[in-house]
Each structure stands twice: as C-alpha cells, then as structure tokens.
C-alpha cells in the first residue's frame, strides 16, 4: 500500500526556480531515507539529493548551492527546492524512499524542462 506521488514539475526559463514535492502514503519519511533522482534522455538515473533519517543531507556536485532537499514530517512529504536552474537540469525527477530491511519505493516521476 506504499505510494509516492511527485508534483511541481514544469517548464521554466534558465535562472528560474521550481519546487518539487513528494507525498508518501503507507510509509513515513521521518523514519527512513528520502531522496531525489533524475534521468535525462540517454543518461542513467543519477542521485540529486538525499536526506537521512536524522536530517543529514547530501547533494550531487552539480546542484550544490542551488538545490535544497527538505522534509515535512507533519505532512509526510519530501521537497526539492531548485533555484538558478540550467538547461542541463532538464530531466524527469523521481523521489525515492529507502526503508530499512525492506525494498525501496519510487514515485512515478515529474518532468522538469529548463529552456528559453
């Protein structure tokens, strides 16, 4: 019954901002690792940002200083604030939750397109 649903993707101009959100049901972000990945055409899926159970965050070098991952335990959501967007950020963005001792779960993905 676990489900992750991403939202917030869209078309934005270079230098603009978007905020992605991932809403979970049947599982808690507060007690598990949450992450955002992205995949552009012809590329492998890559880790963008991660937030641990304790709140520690990690970022890909390409997004450090521009993206921020956060968690809202009351809403059971994980968000990704994306600023200073570049065309190379264009991809489908996926959220993931990694429970201990159980399979990972993925959302369906949301398209982010950065273009003028």
């Amino acid at each position: 019954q676990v489900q992750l649903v991403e939202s917030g993707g869209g078309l934005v101009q270079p230098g603009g901002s978007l905020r992605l959100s991932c809403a979970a049901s049947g599982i808690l972000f507060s007690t598990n690792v949450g992450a955002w990945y992205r995949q552009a055409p012809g590329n492998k899926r890559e880790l963008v940002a991660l937030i641990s159970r304790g709140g520690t965050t990690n970022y890909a070098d390409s997004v450090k200083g521009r993206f921020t991952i956060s968690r809202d335990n009351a809403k059971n959501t994980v968000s990704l604030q994306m600023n200073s967007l570049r065309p190379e950020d264009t991809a489908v963005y996926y959220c993931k939750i990694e429970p201990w001792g159980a399979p990972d779960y993925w959302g369906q993905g949301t398209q982010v397109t950065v273009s003028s």
Side-chain angles (χ1 to χ4, degrees):
Q1 303 301 318
V2 173
Q3 188 174 43
L4 304 178
V5 180
E6 300 102 331
S7 62
L11 175 64
V12 65
Q13 293 184 334
S17 298
L18 283 175
R19 184 175 179 87
L20 307 182
S21 182
C22 179
S25 59
I27 194 167
L28 296 177
F29 276 120
S30 63
T31 58
N32 296 286
V33 173
W36 286 95
Y37 287 73
R38 67 186 181 187
Q39 187 168 19
N43 292 353
K44 292 184 176 181
R45 190 170 298 184
E46 64 175 350
L47 176 67
V48 176
L50 178 149
I51 184 166
S52 74
R53 177 180 177 180
T56 301
T57 58
N58 285 323
Y59 298 92
D61 288 341
S62 60
V63 308
K64 285 183 178 178
R66 300 188 298 121
F67 291 11
T68 303
I69 188 171
S70 62
R71 181 176 63 212
D72 187 331
N73 291 338
K75 297 181 179 179
N76 199 26
T77 60
V78 167
S79 297
L80 184 69
Q81 178 66 46
M82 305 184 294
N83 299 325
S84 302
L85 284 162
R86 305 165 180 169
E88 52 264 41
D89 295 319
T90 296
V92 177
Y93 284 70
Y94 301 88
C95 68
K96 185 185 81 170
I97 188 165
E98 186 176 348
W100 184 258
D104 297 344
Y105 294 95
W106 293 86
Q108 81 287 351
T110 185
Q111 176 71 45
V112 173
T113 302
V114 184
S115 177
S116 59

